[in-house]
Amino acid sequence: MYGESMKYTIRFGSAKMLYEMPYVNKEGTFTLERAGTYGLWLSGKMFTKAPIGEFGFNLVDEKTGSTIPLFLSIMRARVNGITHSRMELYTFDAGPGTYKLSITKDPFVLDVVMKKVGGDKVIKDAIDYNQFTIQIYTHISFVLRFISIWMIALGLIIAVLGGVLPNI
């Protein structure tokens, strides 16, 4: 139980990046080797103002020309390093193939609201768009992450109680 939870938690934090595009490029093409659920992440320097609420995405399958629907990542996962941080904005389901990702000027309504409520008030500096990249990782379900974290906590509690109770 404890070992499986640790494995999923470590896998989440050290997932392999499948594609990275500088934010300022506004458009890029990438290839997926297998079908699955993927996450679209915004990565940038910590403690700098992010462009959240200013942009949206358009994802198109190059073979069929069809637009791939993006789903808002409600419980947005974050991974923080010493100097950089990344946050999952959207998820999408896709099969193997080549895809074109474009940054649009059509942000999701929730991002616009969050920007107005707190984003502009916390950091007043101008946004340095060169500090940000868009990344694609294999998506790991929030439910799986949540259960993994609680199983780690439960495993630690059991280990502590197992070491303390027999000595009472």
Side-chain angles (χ1 to χ4, degrees), residues 3 9 12 18 36-38 58 73 75 87 117 142 149 155 160 164:
T9 304
F12 167 70
L18 303 173
T37 302
Y38 298 92
N58 187 37
S73 201
M75 299 296 287
M87 176 171 61
V117 169
F142 169 74
I149 290 168
V160 168
V164 172

Side-chain angles (χ1 to χ4, degrees), residues 28-95:
T29 303
F30 63 94
T31 301
L32 298 175
E33 295 179 10
R34 61 179 62 109
T37 302
Y38 298 92
L40 207 54
W41 295 69
L42 176 67
S43 177
K45 188 174 178 190
M46 288 185 65
F47 310 115
T48 60
K49 189 172 185 177
I52 292 177
E54 295 185 4
F55 67 92
F57 293 104
N58 187 37
L59 183 61
V60 176
D61 183 332
E62 293 236 310
K63 184 177 181 182
T64 65
S66 60
T67 300
I68 306 298
L70 300 174
F71 304 99
L72 181 67
S73 201
I74 296 174
M75 299 296 287
R76 290 187 165 167
R78 294 184 174 153
V79 177
N80 295 329
I82 295 172
T83 60
H84 283 75
S85 177
R86 63 182 159 101
M87 176 171 61
E88 185 178 52
L89 302 176
Y90 299 96
T91 62
F92 63 94
D93 295 315

Side-chain angles (χ1 to χ4, degrees), residues 7 19 21 28 34 36 43 50-51 56 66 77 100 109 121 151-152 156-157 165:
K7 179 177 77 174
Y19 176 71
M21 173 182 83
R34 61 179 62 109
S43 177
S66 60
K100 181 178 179 182
V109 175
K121 293 173 180 43
M151 287 294 136
I152 290 170
L156 291 172
I157 290 169
L165 289 178

Side-chain angles (χ1 to χ4, degrees), residues 89-155:
L89 302 176
Y90 299 96
T91 62
F92 63 94
D93 295 315
T98 303
Y99 296 87
K100 181 178 179 182
L101 176 66
S102 305
I103 296 176
T104 68
K105 293 187 184 252
D106 185 27
F108 190 74
V109 175
L110 181 62
D111 290 335
V112 174
V113 170
M114 294 304 290
K115 179 182 177 185
K116 292 202 183 297
V117 169
D120 286 342
K121 293 173 180 43
V122 176
I123 300 174
K124 303 229 183 248
D125 298 340
I127 299 171
D128 181 1
Y129 297 99
N130 291 310
Q131 297 286 332
F132 295 93
T133 62
I134 306 303
Q135 301 172 339
I136 295 178
Y137 288 85
T138 301
H139 174 72
I140 297 175
S141 153
F142 169 74
V143 173
L144 184 59
R145 278 184 277 139
F146 183 79
I147 291 171
S148 295
I149 290 168
W150 279 104
M151 287 294 136
I152 290 170
L154 181 61

